């Protein structure tokens, strides 16, 4: 039973102030959103998970109501995983269930690999493991074409200017345009995402995630993560036009503990918003079965 209503709060962690929403009681569970979203993308999961967990869904650094530090270096993956660790400590816990989608999934992969002692269980939605994605950008021409926006985002000033000037069109194309179930994104929902992207500094911060990752790869080469030693679930909408289903193949080498995949047909990249009931079912079955 959910013991309280949705609450807003903030915590100063890892040098930034993060806004978050929280609901429920029990073991800590953190939800990490992607681009170009904010905590609201988990609106269907929060009440379902809050029946069993203390759910915390932050606005990632740079998004919506969270602080937006300047400079590309502030969006390096080490800073992003540091935010997650800081949030766990802010709730006076030593570990948490980590769930991430899109960029939040990328942070979740890295956090679970590098901080297994702080990771209870891991769930990622429509985000490939960094090792798989790096290989795909080298060997998979189709995925390279799908990932054109990563290279576009490396241009100074122009991408964020475009997001600011055409944010409503961009949001509509990104969500409703990619979706299989277009009705999952009525105008009132798209308006919330557009509003979040309107907050000063949000567009540049969101793009800086991509710039930081790209520059690190140029300077230091591929990222090699330790094997993930916690139970892991990957949920994948099969009709993701940005990330091919083949990115989920041959992943066993990245895990030393249980790993499973749940595919959701007729569903796009925005899997938890298009098919919330099925996603919630998969989440709860996995999380509750694996609770110690």
């Amino acid at each position: 039973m959910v013991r309280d209503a949705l609450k807003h709060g903030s915590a100063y962690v890892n040098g930034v102030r993060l806004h978050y929403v929280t609901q429920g009681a029990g073991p800590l569970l953190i939800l990490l959103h992607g681009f170009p979203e904010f905590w609201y993308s988990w609106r269907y999961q929060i009440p379902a998970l809050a029946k069993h967990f203390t759910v915390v869904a932050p606005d990632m650094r740079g998004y919506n109501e969270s602080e937006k530090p300047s400079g590309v270096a502030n969006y390096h993956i080490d800073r992003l995983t540091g935010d997650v660790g800081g949030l766990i400590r802010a709730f006076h816990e030593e570990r948490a269930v980590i769930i991430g989608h899109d960029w939040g999934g990328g942070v979740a992969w890295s956090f679970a690999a590098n901080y297994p002692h702080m990771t209870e269980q891991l769930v990622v939605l429509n985000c490939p493991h960094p090792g798989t994605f790096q290989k795909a950008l080298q060997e998979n021409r189709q995925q390279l074409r799908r990932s054109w926006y990563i290279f576009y985002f490396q241009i100074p000033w122009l991408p964020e200017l475009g997001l600011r000037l055409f944010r409503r069109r961009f949001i509509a194309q990104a969500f409703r345009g990619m979706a299989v179930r277009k009705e999952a994104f009525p105008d009132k929902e798209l308006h919330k995402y557009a509003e979040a992207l309107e907050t000063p500094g949000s567009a540049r911060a969101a793009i800086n995630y991509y710039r930081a990752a790209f520059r690190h790869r140029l300077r230091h080469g591929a990222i090699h993560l330790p094997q993930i030693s916690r139970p892991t679930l990957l949920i994948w909408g099969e009709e993701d036009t940005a990330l091919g289903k083949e990115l989920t193949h041959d992943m066993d080498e990245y895990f030393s503990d249980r790993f499973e995949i749940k595919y959701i047909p007729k569903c796009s990249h925005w899997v938890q918003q298009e098919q919330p009931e099925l996603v919630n079912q998969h989440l709860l079955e996995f999380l509750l079965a694996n609770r110690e």
Side-chain angles (χ1 to χ4, degrees), residues 75-239:
Y75 298 89
H76 185 271
I77 189 65
D78 290 345
R79 299 287 180 93
L80 305 177
T81 55
D83 291 351
V84 179
L87 201 56
I88 292 173
R89 290 186 288 270
F91 278 80
H92 308 290
E93 298 288 350
E94 296 181 354
R95 57 200 296 151
V97 174
I98 307 297
I99 301 178
H101 168 254
D102 185 79
W103 247 111
V107 176
W109 286 126
S110 293
F111 184 83
N114 289 310
Y115 302 95
H117 59 289
M118 299 184 75
T119 306
E120 187 67 39
Q121 297 157 272
L122 172 66
V123 183
V124 175
L125 295 82
N126 279 76
C127 178
H129 186 280
T132 299
F133 192 56
Q134 288 172 156
K135 289 179 183 178
L137 291 180
Q138 292 176 328
E139 304 170 2
N140 185 332
R141 291 186 179 181
Q142 185 176 10
Q143 183 56 54
L144 192 61
R145 288 193 294 272
R146 291 190 183 112
S147 301
W148 65 269
Y149 57 91
I150 295 176
F151 304 97
Y152 169 66
F153 284 162
Q154 306 313 310
I155 302 171
W157 299 101
L158 182 62
E160 49 263 60
L161 178 62
L163 283 186
R164 288 197 296 269
L165 293 177
F166 306 106
R167 55 188 173 270
R168 295 184 184 277
R169 183 188 304 174
F170 168 76
I171 289 294
Q173 290 176 343
F175 288 95
R176 190 183 293 155
M178 290 176 64
V180 176
R181 293 181 59 246
K182 309 293 185 185
E183 66 274 15
F185 297 102
D187 288 345
K188 66 177 182 179
E189 304 291 8
L190 297 179
H191 179 70
K192 294 181 185 295
Y193 288 110
E195 278 192 325
L197 198 58
E198 287 174 11
T199 57
S202 287
R204 176 164 296 169
I207 291 170
N208 278 344
Y209 277 63
Y210 294 92
R211 289 173 174 153
F214 189 84
R215 293 179 188 182
H216 184 273
R217 177 65 187 274
L218 288 179
R219 293 170 183 169
H220 305 288
I223 297 174
H224 298 285
L225 296 177
Q227 279 190 317
I228 293 173
S229 58
R230 303 303 299 160
T232 301
L233 170 66
L234 176 62
I235 297 176
W236 198 272
E238 291 187 320
E239 297 191 37

Side-chain angles (χ1 to χ4, degrees), residues 40-75:
Y40 188 72
S41 63
W42 299 109
R43 61 195 177 279
Y44 299 120
Q45 285 67 52
I46 292 170
L49 294 169
K51 296 176 182 178
H52 307 277
F53 300 90
T54 298
V55 179
V56 177
D59 291 330
M60 304 272 281
R61 68 163 59 200
Y63 280 91
N64 195 38
E65 296 184 42
S66 285
E67 194 172 353
K68 302 162 182 63
S70 61
V72 173
N74 278 308
Y75 298 89

Side-chain angles (χ1 to χ4, degrees), residues 238-270:
E238 291 187 320
E239 297 191 37
D240 190 331
T241 57
L243 299 164
K245 184 179 176 180
E246 68 274 8
L247 297 178
T248 67
H249 299 165
D250 303 319
M251 295 183 63
D252 290 343
E253 66 180 286
Y254 301 119
F255 306 93
S256 62
D257 203 315
R258 178 183 176 188
F259 170 65
E260 58 184 277
I261 303 177
K262 295 290 186 181
Y263 292 108
I264 298 184
K266 299 180 180 179
C267 187
S268 79
H269 181 74
W270 314 111

Side-chain angles (χ1 to χ4, degrees), residues 1-8 20-26 46-56 91:
M1 178 179 294
V2 179
R3 301 179 188 177
D4 54 15
L6 189 71
K7 297 178 181 177
H8 291 257
Y20 61 80
V21 297
T22 184
Q23 188 176 26
I46 292 170
L49 294 169
K51 296 176 182 178
H52 307 277
F53 300 90
T54 298
V55 179
V56 177
F91 278 80

